[in-house]
Amino acid sequence: MKFSYNWIRELVPGLDVTPQELARLITMKTAESEGVEEACPWLSAVCEARIVSVEPIEGSRNVKAVVETARYGMRTVVCGAPNCRPGILTAYVPAGAILQGREIRKAVIAGVESDGMLASGAELGLNREHEGILELVAGELERCRPDGVIEIDNKSITHRPDLWGHHGMAREVAAITGKRLLDPVNLEKVPADDAAVKVSIEDFELCPRYSALVFANVTVKPSPLWLQHRLEVIGLNPINNIVDVTNYVMAELAQPMHAFDADKLRGNTIFVRPAKAGEQVYALNGETYEVGPSNLVIADASGPVALAGVIGGMESAISDTTTRIVLESANFNAASIRKTSAALKLRTDASMRFEKSQDPGNTVRALARAVELLELVSPGIALVGGLADSGRELAAPPPIELPLAWLYRKLGRELETEEVIRILKSLEFGVSEVRPGVLSVTVPSWRATKDISIKDDLVEEVGRIIGYDSITPAPPMVPSVVPPRNEEREFHHQVREFMTTQGFTEVYNYSFVSEEMAAEFGFDVDAHLRIANPIASDQTLLRTSLLPGIRKNLLENSKHFESFRLFEIGREIHKREGGLPEEVPHLVAALYSRNDGVGNLFELKRVAEGLMPGVEVRAVEARPFEHPARVAGLCWQGVELGRLFEFHPSMVETGRAAVLDIDLATLFANRPQQKRYRPLRRFPTSAFDLSVIADARKPAGDIQKRMAQLAGEFLVSVEFLMKYAGPPLPEGYKSVSFRLTVGAPDRTLSSDDVAQIRARVIEGLRSSGYELRV
Amino acid sequence: MLESTLSELEASALARINAATSPDQLEPVRIEVLGRKGALAQISKDMGKLAPEERARVGKLLNAAKQTLEQALDRRKAEFDAMALQARLESEWVDLTEPAPAPRPGSLHPVTQIQREIEELFVSLGFTVLDGPEVETEWHNFDALNIPPTHPARDMQDTFWLTDGHLLRTHTSPVQVRGMEKLGPPLRMIAPGRVFRNEEVDASHEHTFYQLEGMMIDREVSVAHLIYFMKTLLSAIFRREVTVRLRPGYFPFVEPGFELDIQCLICGGTGCPVCKYGGWVELLPCGLVHPNVLRMSGIDPEEWNGFAFGLGLTRLVMMRYGIDDIRLLQSGDLRFLTQF
């Protein structure tokens, strides 16, 4: 929202701070200013000039004009405008002035020295007319002065319907600077006669109030220059005097208005009602909108003529031939306007204001202001009848009790009662001290629609005006307690730490996957949660696995590195019937290299053992993206919680990528609890080695397990020593060697005992079909 | 006679010992001269034929010679040992400019690093660290934070909606609600985490980024406490005294609500490109918790009150490391990530 400094100063006479300082004060006490821009600084050098004579220049379409100015005397300029003729009053820009960033220089044009220039309205930034030089009414250029435009961040005033107009901001400025606020509204301008138009509101919830006036004898023409300039400065497009007045009042009082051509309306009643299914509105912007029962329309006897609070209709728009108008000043339900505006993707200056919950008390004020302005811009205009005003009774908001001790406790600072009262009154709250130390505060109607209803809201009003920098920081008096630990989070941090010591670098991937990514992995697309409003095709689904992201990391980093290690801890998101989805934290680590890849897998197995001492590897069926001969399930504390695999060569073509994928929630739930000390072994142990010949694909883990079973109660450990394949072993066979350590807790095993165990193991293995190399 | 044999023997043995070029050449000398059947043993045997007084004198000479030769042997052996050690050490030269073979330690994501740092800071101040779901209910993300469906504040946060009606949390604030529901007052909590906004991505905008929500609920919590707390905290984060200021900011879940600015750390407030010549940098939104929010989480606002704030972790990371493209953080690019 753009605010004109000159406009605010008009409403706060005697305002004596610069636009920059004003912007800073507003930022500190009201709403965030995004900066100040100078508007038309050149106007200080521009002046009114009468064209004394015009001579053609041979061989040029330009003319040589002599102008007379009060400020610069007589000047000769070369002008190319078609309307440059003797006698008219126009705008003269002297040499040396900088106009729209361009310096005006004395120059010889077509052999004639031009000292300055005559300018159009567009060149001066006053309006959008660029067909010819300005033709002025005496004195009107003087009213267009350089201005400062203070841009306020819209987000910071979403809760302040009143700040969508200059008068509301001026009220703040007056309160901040201690100056007096002028009210531009003269309510006597609205006559009390019978209305010339009837208003029928179907639902007061959707339209709490609709006020209107009818005017005749209207002349539609461009607005006076000062009015056009005002609108131009704050970014509104001047259109014609009638429309400009509605926009001016909106920019001043925050009340959107609309003018209908009264002769284009059928019947004498304005209906405010929800649209019927299938109805259409042909809007001022040239678009036709299909509307229905959830959209509020303004209608005449034959159908909708405007989208209530959003945009007017083309058919009843003001045109050059308009002579009678109906001026609407209404109040609409914020939520309804917001819904319509969102549904039709149509945000207008009006809808933006209505969706902030405008004050129903403001409609007639706006009409009064408009009457005054219309009389100015359309001389001879005449009101027909009096005010049409329909609406529900406006209940005054109940006063708020404000205990001062509570206020000071909230602020953390004491104040004088008088100061609190003065601040609230400067913002036009009604204040009385009902009991010692308790104020009763009445909220002005423009702050009562949504913004202020409880005493906490008043803390802000007082706090911001005294300035938060007047509050001395103080340490809170709270008990010193050790906070509850978030063990799962700490565990994740430990895992991260461990992974980095193992050489893995942490990556973050998006929570989104595309349908293509999911399909490439053979995931069921329908098992994913789906984004209803994605912007990009790669963010349509929520990930049910971290693997697609990791694979992308592998492919991209493989362009820069021969080998690397990375990991991510992130959440898989799985659908759950009737409730929020299940978010399962996973660790995925990947190791990429351009060798045979075997080392990668064992390296990751080592990492898995680091996280889960004693983790067991189980045979599993490969998924489509896994190397079918290089995949295993991981099982710990009797629970399946992850997989170790190599990506299928079709998934990672440039090299080998081993992947470890662990469900951290399950790992955390099954982590070893408190450890207990075991007494050290008091009697020596004995060890013997065995080598088993087995099928090359017989898992060593199976042989080891069998040995452990056979060794029985005295087994201390079975340790893998080595694997051998090659002569003299037959093709397709290997020899695997283990060291078995045995011992008893209460004695030293005799050599007979050990020999017996050894014999039992050998015998057992043989009967299981293994051959032993002895 | 024996005497001269002895001295000859001693001289020649000494000569052999000194001339030896390897430890293997010493052993024969020891055996031949000092061994059980060696030359000295022979002389000792022959001494029996001498007169007793002569025998004692020669015996002494014999012992002296034996001692001299033993010492000579030991010395020579030690010399060889020293030389051998010297040679071994010399041969065992290692070129330590060669790279170590095992992988270097990896690194934590910069967001993780800053997040942990701040978590530790808060834990030291008595705050508990909470996690919340990334997929949220509309209630927790909006309604319970005093943002009803038609509230224009919903426009401030472009939301990713799911087809099942849930949404991706647009801020970490819903964890406030979950924290209050779960733990009740008094309460000191933070909730760091991933949040989502439905925005086009460019160098300074991301649809996925990180925030840290903080909340303190107690019986007496004032604006003065909030300022004190923020100043303490930010001084710890930036590792130097920071100057903060509060100005009004609108967030439906706090009342009053503030934007907290810090005096520009680059220029000290005199104005520079980082603070856009304003001297202040907008850092975080905060405020006193709105009584409606307390009430909706089952806490009596007449009895309890508190403050809440939201810290943009991603922004902090970018400030700390001077990162100029937000997209790098989720790029998975190791050329970037290994720098931290």
Side-chain angles (χ1 to χ4, degrees):
Chain A
M1 170 84 185
K2 288 177 171 176
F3 288 90
S4 150
Y5 172 77
N6 288 349
W7 201 332
I8 290 175
R9 207 162 57 162
E10 219 167 82
L11 296 166
V12 186
L15 181 64
D16 52 5
V17 295
T18 61
Q20 283 70 24
E21 177 57 10
L22 185 61
R24 194 192 67 83
L25 285 171
I26 292 173
T27 293
M28 290 309 294
K29 293 176 186 278
T30 302
E32 183 169 335
S33 153
E34 294 181 318
V36 181
E37 259 182 50
E38 282 192 313
C40 311
W42 50 83
L43 286 177
S44 56
V46 175
C47 72
E48 194 177 285
R50 178 171 301 280
I51 301 180
V52 179
S53 65
V54 173
E55 285 171 39
I57 302 169
E58 217 184 282
S60 166
R61 292 168 60 190
N62 295 327
V63 295
K64 173 183 165 186
V66 176
V67 297
E68 183 187 1
T69 69
R71 189 161 158 194
Y72 302 106
M74 304 287 278
R75 295 288 164 110
T76 304
V77 295
V78 174
C79 179
N83 61 338
C84 181
R85 58 186 194 278
I88 64 164
L89 275 181
T90 188
Y92 170 74
V93 187
I98 294 166
L99 192 58
Q100 317 264 24
R102 183 171 64 91
E103 191 183 337
I104 305 303
R105 292 205 177 88
K106 271 190 192 176
V108 177
I109 303 164
V112 177
E113 190 184 64
S114 184
D115 182 5
M117 69 176 275
L118 305 180
S120 70
E123 280 168 322
L124 292 177
L126 299 173
N127 58 25
R128 314 223 167 151
E129 286 301 325
H130 49 76
E131 290 300 312
I133 54 174
L134 278 168
E135 294 190 35
L136 297 168
V137 175
E140 86 176 319
L141 188 59
E142 290 304 303
R143 294 189 64 183
C144 304
R145 307 312 310 154
D147 203 349
V149 180
I150 300 173
E151 175 114 42
I152 299 295
D153 180 7
N154 285 352
K155 282 184 213 159
S156 73
I157 50 173
T158 51
H159 59 311
R160 291 291 302 269
D162 59 321
L163 294 188
W164 291 77
H166 279 70
H167 186 243
M169 189 56 88
R171 183 184 294 112
E172 292 286 318
V173 171
I176 294 167
T177 57
K179 304 263 187 246
R180 198 169 57 88
L181 173 72
L182 281 192
D183 187 355
V185 174
N186 176 5
L187 282 174
E188 287 172 14
K189 284 284 175 189
V190 178
D193 308 350
D194 285 345
V197 66
K198 288 197 187 70
V199 174
S200 159
I201 300 173
E202 191 174 307
D203 185 346
F204 288 132
E205 195 52 51
L206 298 176
C207 175
R209 189 174 188 185
Y210 193 102
S211 314
L213 284 172
V214 179
F215 298 81
N217 211 13
V218 172
T219 326
V220 177
K221 60 177 183 177
S223 296
L225 205 55
W226 67 266
L227 204 162
Q228 297 193 37
H229 181 216
R230 264 288 145 84
L231 297 178
E232 195 65 61
V233 161
I234 57 165
L236 292 173
N237 186 11
I239 293 167
N240 58 47
N241 54 349
I242 308 302
V243 175
D244 291 354
V245 163
T246 62
N247 282 333
Y248 188 95
V249 175
M250 173 181 75
E252 187 166 63
L253 300 178
Q255 170 67 53
M257 303 182 97
H258 183 65
F260 296 97
D261 186 329
D263 296 317
K264 307 270 172 67
L265 298 179
R266 280 142 292 196
N268 194 35
T269 305
I270 289 171
F271 298 94
V272 186
R273 58 163 172 86
K276 293 167 187 148
E279 277 186 329
Q280 290 188 332
V281 178
Y282 177 35
L284 277 172
N285 60 1
E287 303 280 325
T288 300
Y289 295 95
E290 194 84 43
V291 287
S294 61
N295 311 115
L296 195 67
V297 293
I298 310 300
D300 64 8
S302 61
V305 292
L307 262 167
V310 182
I311 197 166
M314 191 70 108
E315 281 149 357
S316 55
I318 304 301
S319 70
D320 293 347
T321 59
T322 302
T323 60
R324 289 195 325 127
I325 60 171
V326 172
L327 191 60
E328 163 197 299
S329 181
N331 187 268
F332 299 110
N333 174 284
S336 151
I337 298 296
R338 189 168 173 274
K339 247 187 262 166
T340 296
S341 162
L344 303 179
K345 295 192 169 59
L346 178 61
R347 295 198 87 206
T348 60
D349 289 311
S351 74
M352 235 152 59
R353 285 173 172 79
F354 280 125
E355 67 178 31
K356 309 299 185 289
S357 296
Q358 285 297 330
D359 173 15
N362 205 18
T363 60
V364 177
R365 284 173 49 79
L367 285 174
R369 180 67 172 139
V371 172
E372 192 173 353
L373 289 166
L374 286 171
E375 285 170 350
L376 213 59
V377 303
S378 176
I381 195 168
L383 272 162
V384 182
L387 175 70
D389 191 13
S390 178
R392 66 172 166 202
E393 199 69 40
L394 302 176
I400 300 170
E401 279 219 341
L402 180 64
L404 291 169
W406 176 86
L407 170 70
Y408 304 153
R409 246 192 359 257
K410 278 273 182 182
L411 287 173
R413 194 207 134 161
E414 303 266 323
L415 287 163
E416 296 295 330
T417 309
E418 290 68 39
E419 198 181 355
V420 177
I421 294 175
R422 185 188 58 73
I423 288 169
L424 291 172
K425 282 190 168 165
S426 73
L427 293 164
E428 297 190 42
F429 288 86
V431 190
S432 61
E433 193 167 2
V434 282
R435 297 192 291 284
V438 180
L439 303 183
S440 171
V441 180
T442 324
V443 184
S445 60
W446 56 87
R447 302 292 304 277
T449 49
K450 194 180 60 183
D451 182 16
I452 295 192
S453 56
I454 53 173
K455 61 186 177 187
D456 299 76
D457 299 325
L458 298 174
V459 176
E460 172 153 45
E461 296 304 301
V462 175
R464 66 192 180 89
I465 300 295
I466 59 168
Y468 296 116
D469 52 359
S470 74
I471 297 171
T472 312
M477 291 285 286
V478 289
S480 178
V481 290
V482 177
R485 289 174 57 188
N486 184 335
E487 289 186 60
E488 184 156 9
R489 194 175 188 91
E490 285 170 17
F491 173 68
H492 289 180
H493 284 326
Q494 284 161 13
V495 172
R496 284 194 174 89
E497 209 63 67
F498 173 75
M499 292 310 294
T500 57
T501 61
Q502 301 304 313
F504 292 78
T505 290
E506 187 180 24
V507 299
Y508 283 14
N509 283 304
Y510 291 130
S511 303
F512 304 106
V513 290
S514 64
E515 289 190 31
E516 295 75 58
M517 280 166 100
E520 256 183 309
F521 273 77
F523 296 148
D524 175 10
V525 170
D526 293 331
H528 293 72
L529 279 161
R530 189 175 278 277
I531 304 289
N533 58 337
I535 315 186
S537 63
D538 60 355
Q539 44 180 245
T540 51
L541 307 176
L542 290 186
R543 61 180 176 184
T544 56
S545 164
L546 272 53
L547 294 170
I550 291 291
R551 174 181 172 237
K552 193 161 163 271
N553 301 147
L554 288 167
L555 296 182
E556 279 166 14
N557 284 299
S558 70
K559 294 175 196 156
H560 307 292
F561 302 96
E562 298 254 321
S563 70
F564 54 87
R565 304 168 172 224
L566 52 83
F567 79 99
E568 178 179 13
I569 290 183
R571 300 184 190 177
E572 289 186 353
I573 300 176
H574 297 283
K575 270 187 185 173
R576 183 153 54 182
E577 272 313 307
L580 284 176
E582 206 178 346
E583 297 184 16
V584 188
H586 268 243
L587 163 72
V588 175
L591 214 159
Y592 174 91
S593 69
R594 293 186 190 155
N595 50 27
D596 67 5
V598 176
N600 294 349
L601 285 162
F602 281 101
E603 180 64 4
L604 279 179
K605 185 181 177 191
R606 192 183 61 76
V607 167
E609 283 171 342
L611 291 167
M612 305 171 282
V615 66
E616 282 177 47
V617 162
R618 298 227 170 136
V620 288
E621 199 164 315
R623 294 172 293 180
F625 54 87
E626 291 169 331
H627 188 308
R630 293 184 170 190
V631 55
L634 299 174
C635 184
W636 194 53
Q637 314 279 336
V639 188
E640 285 274 354
L641 42 58
R643 287 171 91 92
L644 172 63
F645 65 90
E646 185 174 298
F647 261 122
H648 194 282
S650 66
M651 300 295 282
V652 179
E653 289 175 344
T654 55
R656 303 272 192 169
V659 176
L660 178 67
D661 184 353
I662 297 173
D663 173 348
L664 284 185
T666 309
L667 176 55
F668 175 71
N670 292 282
R671 73 199 182 286
Q673 298 301 318
Q674 186 120 42
K675 285 181 178 158
R676 265 196 79 86
Y677 151 82
R678 265 197 330 259
L680 302 184
R681 189 172 282 283
R682 287 177 56 205
F683 299 92
T685 56
S686 313
F688 56 90
D689 296 353
L690 289 175
S691 295
V692 179
I693 295 167
D695 183 287
R697 295 212 167 182
K698 182 76 194 170
D702 291 3
I703 303 171
Q704 185 168 350
K705 245 187 232 164
R706 183 82 190 108
M707 279 184 177
Q709 284 167 358
L710 292 165
E713 56 167 331
F714 294 125
L715 182 74
V716 175
S717 67
V718 188
E719 191 188 340
F720 176 89
L721 292 180
M722 61 170 291
K723 177 181 85 169
Y724 174 78
L729 294 173
E731 185 86 1
Y733 282 85
K734 64 180 173 188
S735 151
V736 206
S737 308
F738 298 89
R739 172 160 302 159
L740 286 84
T741 305
V742 291
D746 53 352
R747 64 190 163 97
T748 306
L749 291 180
S750 68
S751 54
D752 276 357
D753 292 334
V754 176
Q756 221 173 349
I757 295 170
R758 185 171 182 272
R760 187 167 72 228
V761 173
I762 291 171
E763 184 49 40
L765 285 170
R766 284 208 167 113
S767 63
S768 300
Y770 295 107
E771 206 181 309
L772 272 91
R773 265 174 102 202
V774 205
Chain B
M1 169 63 190
L2 261 182
E3 222 178 303
S4 63
T5 314
L6 187 62
S7 65
E8 264 167 42
L9 193 66
E10 185 180 337
S12 80
L14 271 177
R16 282 175 70 192
I17 289 167
N18 289 333
T21 56
S22 79
D24 328 335
Q25 291 170 7
L26 295 178
E27 191 57 14
V29 181
R30 195 188 63 77
I31 292 165
E32 282 170 40
V33 182
L34 296 167
R36 241 171 356 109
K37 293 177 181 164
L40 290 183
Q42 192 55 52
I43 289 173
S44 179
K45 223 188 266 173
D46 293 349
M47 260 173 21
K49 299 168 190 161
L50 295 178
E53 54 277 29
E54 191 67 353
R55 196 188 310 159
R57 197 177 56 80
V58 174
K60 254 182 207 160
L61 286 174
L62 183 73
N63 278 338
K66 197 172 174 186
Q67 213 172 343
T68 306
L69 288 176
E70 275 173 350
Q71 276 169 2
L73 272 170
D74 285 351
R75 179 185 40 79
R76 191 70 186 133
K77 199 154 172 287
E79 277 170 18
F80 281 124
D81 284 351
M83 275 156 63
L85 183 62
Q86 189 56 43
R88 179 186 143 198
L89 294 178
E90 190 59 37
S91 73
E92 284 176 355
W93 180 72
V94 170
D95 181 1
L96 286 173
T97 66
E98 286 173 18
R104 302 287 93 71
S107 48
L108 291 173
H109 195 280
V111 171
T112 300
Q113 294 189 29
I114 298 269
Q115 185 177 307
R116 289 200 58 183
E117 193 180 309
I118 298 177
E119 277 176 32
E120 277 162 25
L121 211 62
F122 273 101
V123 169
S124 75
L125 292 168
F127 281 64
T128 188
V129 187
L130 294 182
D131 290 300
E134 289 168 6
V135 177
E136 261 298 1
T137 62
E138 192 176 350
W139 163 262
H140 282 95
N141 195 73
F142 289 126
D143 301 66
L145 292 164
N146 209 24
I147 314 174
T150 56
H151 201 292
R154 288 205 177 184
D155 291 344
M156 286 155 58
Q157 303 180 352
D158 297 314
T159 309
F160 279 114
W161 291 92
L162 302 185
T163 49
D164 69 357
H166 291 130
L167 51 81
L168 295 181
R169 64 175 174 192
T170 57
H171 45 193
T172 39
S173 310
V175 192
Q176 275 186 19
V177 181
R178 293 184 177 278
M180 287 187 284
E181 288 170 349
K182 186 175 154 198
L183 301 170
L187 173 67
R188 273 175 268 174
M189 55 148 280
I190 57 163
R194 174 177 275 210
V195 300
F196 307 85
R197 300 276 168 92
N198 197 343
E199 288 194 7
E200 297 284 353
V201 174
D202 62 30
S204 47
H205 296 88
E206 248 293 3
H207 54 60
T208 301
F209 55 99
Y210 287 78
Q211 278 188 347
L212 186 144
E213 188 78 6
M215 179 183 236
M216 169 163 163
I217 305 276
D218 219 297
R219 292 188 189 273
E220 299 276 341
V221 179
S222 72
V223 177
H225 297 145
L226 167 66
I227 302 175
Y228 174 89
F229 209 90
M230 287 294 125
K231 206 172 141 58
T232 305
L233 177 78
L234 293 170
S235 295
I237 290 176
F238 290 106
R239 295 170 184 161
R240 60 171 132 157
E241 192 69 13
V242 298
T243 307
V244 306
R245 70 172 193 190
L246 294 190
R247 52 188 173 82
Y250 173 60
F251 310 99
F253 37 102
V254 285
E255 187 65 54
F258 313 110
E259 287 285 3
L260 182 142
D261 301 336
I262 59 167
Q263 199 158 61
C264 181
L265 296 171
I266 307 298
C267 65
T270 54
C272 71
V274 170
C275 58
K276 296 184 191 130
Y277 301 98
W280 296 89
V281 177
E282 183 177 318
L283 195 67
L284 58 88
C286 53
L288 298 188
V289 182
H290 197 289
N292 289 354
V293 173
L294 293 173
R295 215 171 280 125
M296 279 186 275
S297 297
I299 294 176
D300 180 1
E302 290 302 318
E303 205 179 324
W304 301 95
N305 55 91
F307 63 71
F309 57 89
L311 191 60
L313 281 177
T314 300
R315 185 142 164 267
L316 213 56
V317 168
M318 293 177 74
M319 280 167 80
R320 164 81 62 94
Y321 297 107
I323 298 167
D324 56 6
D325 189 337
I326 194 170
R327 291 169 293 196
L328 287 168
L329 293 169
Q330 317 257 353
S331 65
D333 191 333
L334 293 174
R335 293 172 300 170
F336 168 75
L337 293 166
T338 50
Q339 294 180 31
F340 300 96

